[in-house]
Amino acid sequence: MRTKLTVALLGGLTLLTPSCDVLMTMSETMQTNMPLTEAEVSNGLKEALRVGITNAVTQTSQTDGYLNNSLIRIPFPPEAQKVKEALNNIGMNNLVKQFEESMNHAAENASAKATDIFVDAISKMTITDAMSILKGSDDAATQYLHRTTGSQLEAAFTPIVEDALKSVNVTQYWSDITTAYNQIPFVSPVNTDLTGYVTHSAIDGLFIMVANEEKEIRENPQARVNDILKRVFGSTEATRSSLSH
């Protein structure tokens, strides 16, 4: 009789006691609903940018990372479209293609060097900046990064891009292209600053990818790969949801 009573009590306790999964869910929910501290917001935004930058650089620095991505592929310089058209018209399509491919490969090479530059900029984000960014648009953190690092990134990227352009023969291709074009009768000579063009295009492309990553972290719980991201952006979701009702 005593054995049966013990079994019955244990069974009742089992039914009353939540499972480990339930307890973890309850704990996470309670933690998410707790007010965020300023330090958590700052750490969460910095971590979101680190994750976004890591993912963006990984994508853009791989072979054909720019070339095969329609969002960031670097086209023939717009101010030199007449050069492209003229060369295509005289059967030099292959030279144009090689130039465009090499230009994008230069951006891919430069992109691989970007992580440390971005991370240094992130470390300078203040708590006031972070609180404002958290309540901002889907790309508020990326806009902040663009606004505060634009000139520094350009200065740091320029020599990297210049070396990359040389390493994949873009400079030679451009020299061949402009030489061929400028020999066409009655055309105005063209001299485009390739280093500046590719530098700006490479940086803009990186920011496009970082903005996509930021939006994904804000909107998709599966993209929040660690506890601080779940805590900060989960709490933000809960706040926005309560305000909408």
Side-chain angles (χ1 to χ4, degrees):
M1 177 68 71
R2 185 175 299 171
T3 300
K4 291 182 179 180
L5 181 59
T6 300
V7 171
L9 287 171
L10 288 173
L13 286 172
T14 300
L15 292 173
L16 292 173
T17 303
S19 69
C20 290
D21 289 342
V22 172
L23 287 172
M24 289 178 66
T25 301
M26 291 170 61
S27 175
E28 290 175 357
T29 301
M30 291 174 64
Q31 188 180 36
T32 298
N33 290 333
M34 291 173 62
L36 286 169
T37 66
E38 291 183 341
E40 285 178 317
V41 172
S42 179
N43 291 336
L45 263 297
K46 289 179 180 179
E47 181 63 14
L49 278 173
R50 288 191 189 98
V51 170
I53 286 165
T54 299
N55 291 341
V57 170
T58 297
Q59 294 174 60
T60 56
S61 62
Q62 64 184 338
T63 302
D64 297 335
Y66 275 81
L67 187 65
N68 289 344
N69 187 332
S70 60
L71 288 175
I72 61 174
R73 178 188 169 105
I74 302 175
F76 207 93
E79 65 273 25
Q81 280 299 310
K82 60 183 180 180
V83 178
K84 179 178 180 178
E85 293 169 4
L87 293 177
N88 285 336
N89 288 337
I90 61 175
M92 301 189 72
N93 311 60
N94 193 51
L95 182 61
V96 170
K97 179 183 178 183
Q98 289 175 327
F99 168 71
E100 290 183 329
E101 289 176 351
S102 296
M103 191 167 51
N104 280 273
H105 292 327
E108 291 153 15
N109 289 348
S111 176
K113 309 289 186 181
T115 302
D116 290 344
I117 299 169
F118 282 119
V119 168
D120 179 64
I122 293 169
S123 68
K124 298 173 183 175
M125 181 186 291
T126 67
I127 288 177
T128 301
D129 294 327
M131 294 298 293
S132 175
I133 290 168
L134 183 67
K135 301 173 185 178
S137 61
D138 288 340
D139 66 343
T142 306
Q143 289 182 31
Y144 165 83
L145 202 57
H146 203 309
R147 186 172 63 251
T148 58
T149 65
S151 58
Q152 297 96 315
L153 282 172
E154 183 175 349
F157 248 55
T158 297
I160 298 172
V161 168
E162 191 169 18
D163 288 343
L165 288 172
K166 292 177 182 177
S167 71
V168 292
N169 297 321
V170 172
T171 305
Q172 183 60 50
Y173 281 128
W174 184 240
S175 176
D176 293 344
I177 284 173
T178 54
T179 297
Y181 176 78
N182 290 338
Q183 288 176 349
I184 298 174
F186 310 115
V187 301
S188 299
V190 170
N191 182 23
T192 297
D193 175 13
L194 274 186
T195 298
Y197 173 67
V198 176
T199 295
H200 294 152
S201 298
I203 292 173
D204 288 346
L206 263 177
F207 277 124
I208 288 172
M209 300 303 290
V210 172
N212 287 346
E213 292 292 333
E214 179 188 351
K215 183 177 181 181
E216 183 73 2
I217 290 172
R218 285 180 183 267
E219 296 182 352
N220 181 8
Q222 298 301 317
R224 298 164 195 164
V225 295
N226 55 41
D227 290 341
I228 187 63
L229 294 181
K230 293 173 183 176
R231 167 87 172 112
V232 171
F233 291 97
S235 294
T236 306
E237 278 184 343
T239 301
R240 287 179 175 174
S241 177
S242 64
L243 290 174
S244 65
H245 288 85

